[in-house]
Amino acid sequence: MIEEKMKQVFEHMHANPELSNEEVETTDYIYRFLKDEGFNPVKFKNITGLYCDVGNFDEGNTVIGVRADIDALYQEVDGVKQANHSCGHDAHTSMVIGTMLKIKGHEKLQSTGVRFIFQPAEEVGTGALSVAEEGVIENMDYFIGVHLRPEEEADNGFAAPSIEHGAAASIEFRIAGDDAHGARPHLNHNAIEVGTDIVNMLSKIHINPVVPSSVKMTKFIAGGKSLNIIPGIAECGIDLRAQTNEQMELLKERVFEILKYIEKFYDVKIEDVHHSGIVASESHQDAIDLIRKSIVDVLGEEKCIDPIVTSGGDDFHFYTVKYPGLKGAMLGLGCGLKPGLHHPHMTFDHSAMINGTDILYQAILNVE
């Protein structure tokens, strides 16, 4: 019965993906579904998404949070640009709802409060902080997230007690100069050449090689239809990755130093600088231990693998960085996922969602 309802949720979300901060119908669907199942969900006041409390939140009781992300990516699928669930958020939501259905009415809820959070906007890295501003995190002791893992990280039927994501950041900016006639290159600085120097200088950034990191230009738009114009303007974007928050801060510092140098050397303006990013994981050992025990209880010792270290990112980790006392970690679920996360035709073994639900359920039972 629970499996059928999880399948129903998954199929609806997969067929009706919505982009970050636009998850209006998704929020309404989850809200109605939970209402029909006898829960009392609450929509967030200022953002899409919702949460639902079950159990006993009396003072002195342990409060555990469980988080699902609900937004989809925007990508080209078979020649059509559209919202698409290629990161598994439809599966995450289904597993969390399955956990709610399984724990409903359990005697454990007499001494434990559980807050199920359906978070928007993970894909753009702003959802977690927005949820925190709704004031629903402060009273929690534990917080568990879940994410499907690709085959190269976890075999189907296996699970990891944490996902140690790296920090990710992007810097967008505009090289602002003047155009010039193709016959008069001395009258301006070619934005393409300026951008080329930025790319070359980025490759010369050398920081501690023991901690994985990378920086590269991922967007460069300059010039137009008239090829006899030397462009003075370019729109640029840089992607930064680092396995620790300290390494990311150092990397960003070097990038901004390069941009300042370019401004001075070429006498151009670097304008409209926009920076965004997500932090690296700072998982709590108590949460890792809780999830590990729950994996062993459900799958057995041989199916519990070490924490997964990945250069990918997830805004879930804002919760533990913003609230240092919060015991948080993400369950990494092996599910035969291929060819990879964010591939437009990503597939996985749907039956693995039962493992994820059972582990999350067991974690609630195991919390003290």
Side-chain angles (χ1 to χ4, degrees):
M1 185 66 172
I2 291 177
E3 292 182 28
E4 285 300 314
K5 291 181 178 180
M6 288 173 60
K7 180 181 178 182
Q8 175 187 336
V9 172
F10 176 84
E11 291 180 347
H12 175 89
M13 288 194 61
H14 194 76
N16 299 276
E18 292 184 296
L19 301 180
S20 302
N21 296 311
E22 299 177 15
E23 313 95 331
V24 176
E25 196 280 334
T26 301
T27 300
D28 288 343
Y29 172 78
I30 297 171
Y31 181 87
R32 292 193 304 270
F33 185 95
L34 295 179
K35 273 285 193 181
D36 290 344
E37 293 295 330
F39 295 100
N40 294 301
V42 179
K43 293 182 181 180
F44 292 128
K45 296 178 181 179
N46 302 303
I47 56 174
T48 47
L50 65 156
Y51 71 98
C52 187
D53 289 345
V54 299
N56 190 335
F57 286 73
D58 287 349
E59 186 176 352
N61 287 348
T62 300
V63 176
I64 181 171
V66 182
R67 174 266 214 172
D69 32 19
I70 65 174
D71 56 327
L73 288 156
Y74 184 70
Q75 62 185 159
E76 186 172 311
V77 183
D78 296 329
V80 179
K81 291 183 177 180
Q82 62 184 63
N84 186 42
H85 275 300
S86 59
C87 199
H89 295 187
D90 42 4
H92 304 163
T93 301
S94 302
M95 288 186 282
V96 170
I97 287 179
T99 304
M100 296 179 69
L101 295 172
K102 191 167 184 175
I103 200 70
K104 184 180 179 182
H106 195 285
E107 61 181 12
K108 178 70 175 182
L109 298 179
Q110 296 175 12
S111 60
T112 304
V114 188
R115 175 162 291 167
F116 295 93
I117 292 178
F118 299 89
Q119 180 204 299
E122 187 281 326
E123 296 294 359
V124 295
T126 62
L129 291 175
S130 296
V131 168
E133 291 176 0
E134 293 285 313
V136 295
I137 307 298
E138 285 83 352
N139 68 333
M140 295 195 309
D141 300 293
Y142 287 86
F143 201 16
I144 297 176
V146 57
H147 208 299
L148 306 182
R149 301 321 299 162
E151 285 184 318
E152 61 267 24
E153 291 184 1
D155 289 334
N156 193 10
F158 290 71
S162 72
I163 309 171
E164 301 305 329
H165 288 102
S170 62
I171 300 173
E172 293 186 89
F173 58 94
R174 183 171 178 265
I175 299 171
D178 297 315
D179 291 347
H181 194 286
R184 299 174 180 85
H186 61 291
L187 296 182
N188 83 333
H189 288 291
N190 187 336
I192 296 174
E193 294 176 351
V194 175
T196 300
D197 270 1
I198 294 175
V199 171
N200 289 334
M201 294 178 76
L202 292 177
S203 70
K204 303 300 188 295
I205 294 177
H206 299 297
I207 52 181
N208 188 353
V210 175
V211 182
S213 64
S214 69
V215 56
K216 57 277 183 189
M217 185 89 78
T218 54
K219 175 184 176 182
F220 191 89
I221 303 172
K225 292 184 178 180
S226 299
L227 300 185
N228 62 344
I229 294 177
I230 302 172
I233 298 171
E235 296 178 11
C236 307
I238 296 173
D239 177 86
L240 305 90
R241 305 276 165 167
Q243 201 58 50
T244 67
N245 293 317
E246 294 77 13
Q247 188 89 327
M248 174 57 77
E249 290 304 312
L250 183 57
L251 202 58
K252 287 190 292 187
E253 181 182 322
R254 297 289 176 85
V255 171
F256 284 118
E257 286 175 355
I258 288 172
L259 297 182
K260 288 180 181 179
Y261 172 82
I262 288 292
E263 273 193 312
K264 184 176 181 180
F265 183 81
Y266 281 105
D267 192 25
V268 297
K269 294 293 184 182
I270 303 295
E271 297 181 343
D272 301 331
V273 179
H274 176 71
H275 166 257
S276 61
I278 53 178
V279 295
S281 63
E282 294 186 4
S283 304
H284 196 286
Q285 190 60 49
D286 288 355
I288 295 174
D289 292 342
L290 173 66
I291 299 174
R292 180 182 288 110
K293 184 179 188 310
S294 304
I295 293 171
V296 172
D297 288 346
V298 173
L299 303 179
E301 186 78 43
E302 71 281 0
K303 297 294 181 69
C304 183
I305 62 176
D306 292 335
I308 295 170
V309 179
T310 173
S311 58
D314 195 295
D315 77 345
F316 176 85
H317 305 295
F318 274 123
Y319 294 118
T320 50
V321 171
K322 184 176 177 64
Y323 300 98
L326 181 62
K327 300 175 181 179
M330 292 190 76
L331 164 66
L333 186 68
C335 56
L337 189 153
K338 57 184 180 181
L341 291 167
H342 292 201
H343 188 283
H345 298 294
M346 180 273 279
T347 61
F348 69 98
D349 180 1
H350 292 183
S351 67
M353 289 191 288
I354 301 303
N355 287 344
T357 295
D358 289 345
I359 295 167
L360 293 174
Y361 167 81
Q362 192 63 40
I364 297 171
L365 298 187
N366 287 341
V367 73
E368 298 178 356

